[in-house]
Amino acid sequence: MTTQPHTARLIDGKQSAQRLLAEVAQQVQACRAEGVTPALAVVLVGDDPASQVYVRNKLRAAEQVGILSHEYRFPATLSEQQLLATIDNLNRDAAVNGILVQLPLPAHIDEGRVVRAISPLKDVDGFHPENAGGLVQGQRVLTPCTPLGCMRLLAEYGGDLAGKHAVVVGRSNIVGKPMAALLLQAHCSVTTLHSRSQDAARLARQADILIAAVGRPGMIDASWIKPGAVVIDVGINRITQGEGRSRLVGDVDIASVSAVAAALTPVPGGVGPMTIACLMQNTVTATQLQQQAAALQCAG
Ligand code: GUN
């Protein structure tokens, strides 16, 4: 008798994102029925090619679900003061529900200052310290889109998360830290690994759920994976292949890991589409939070 080699189930992020976008489109219709059309302002400074693609995809998704979008494009020479003035105007504009400043920003602009300038109730990226702190304390706040998208994929493909051991590789403010907070909230035992971790692969092999968010192509191979683990690959790395050709790969070495894991997200087509769908969800959530805040103000 011959045995088939094991191959992990591929998690279809495109399909899950379309399901989420359909739900968001219904929520947008409900807002419209109450006389409010959710609106997202997207700010892009400079001409980073990857950022241009991301922004285009975000605007396209907004259109798909019926969210109004306003695009603000500035040259890389824009001063920090000018950017802060733009954000101030958007904060005050009641017709704008979400503000997204695409990162990275040119080196002469302080990203932290820009993130802190965005009203927490319009911070659809969930990067403002007030939202980051609220997330850790389990409050209903705007939450970073990529970790939110990973949680949705885990809800669909990961089974019951309570009591599982989740390992997050990477500790960025955008992915690693909020991811760990969300997994903890879902009752996982959580380990965060990073570039200074000793024996990282051995610790990762204890994971029922492994989130790879390091930004190093193919770094996570089968030696990091417990048989049967669910693996979510957040990495989006462009690698050149000679003759001017390039392609996108994740942080996970798919060929080796798919022989060990139970399920795995591809790159592209895994977490990426979920991030954009969650941005749309966050724009609706921001609209709802603003309406609640306004109602409380009237009542008070
Ligand atoms: N650049 C890379 N990822 C992101 C993101 O999630 N939000 C913003 N604003 N910029 C990014």
Side-chain angles (χ1 to χ4, degrees), residues 58 100-103 125 127:
K58 288 169 185 178
L100 180 137
V101 178
Q102 186 66 30
L103 304 178
D125 263 325
F127 295 164

